[in-house]
Amino acid sequence: VQLVESGGGLVQNGGSLRLSCAASGLRFDDYAIGWFRQVPGKEHEGRERVSCIDVKSGATFYKDNLAGRFTTSSDNAKNTVYLQMNSLKPEDTAVYYCAWHMSCEYTPGYWGQGTQVTVSS
């Protein structure tokens, strides 16, 4: 399984970005994609999961305080999952990764390379 993120960049406080995660090498259509983020310099804190989507059922999960600003969706015909981020804040600045799971309840099995999101104040 290979995952390629895109869509990161520099945005002003209050702006929006849409990240994409294109998956290839999939053998089954029943899986989940999670979005994680890691703040540079805080690698010891690990990666924080911000959302997850079960692409077959469409069920979504969000970190508590992000629901309403972040929305994840999937285009199964394109094997692509999106993370729409609105009302971005400087504290959202991080490297964002997508990860393949068998299910949102399981730990990730494969990771993308990450895409930088920087929100200026």
Side-chain angles (χ1 to χ4, degrees), residues 3-115:
L3 304 171
V4 179
E5 301 99 334
S6 61
L10 174 64
V11 65
Q12 290 186 336
N13 188 13
S16 298
L17 282 175
R18 188 177 80 157
L19 305 183
S20 299
C21 175
S24 61
L26 299 166
R27 296 176 61 187
F28 306 102
D29 62 357
D30 190 1
Y31 62 95
I33 295 290
W35 285 98
F36 293 74
R37 64 187 181 185
Q38 185 163 47
V39 178
K42 296 187 177 180
E43 286 78 7
H44 63 282
E45 296 183 1
R47 296 178 182 178
E48 172 185 57
R49 190 170 81 167
V50 301
S51 70
C52 191
I53 182 167
D54 183 310
V55 298
K56 188 169 186 178
S57 70
T60 56
F61 304 90
Y62 296 95
K63 186 177 184 297
D64 288 345
N65 61 347
L66 295 178
R69 292 198 299 124
F70 288 15
T71 304
T72 188
S73 60
S74 67
D75 183 336
N76 294 354
K78 296 181 179 180
N79 289 334
T80 299
V81 169
Y82 304 98
L83 182 67
Q84 177 68 42
M85 305 185 293
N86 299 325
S87 302
L88 283 163
K89 306 174 182 180
E91 52 263 43
D92 295 318
T93 295
V95 178
Y96 283 72
Y97 299 87
C98 64
W100 178 95
H101 310 241
M102 290 181 63
S103 166
C104 288
E105 287 75 35
Y106 288 84
T107 56
Y110 301 95
W111 293 87
Q113 83 287 354
T115 185

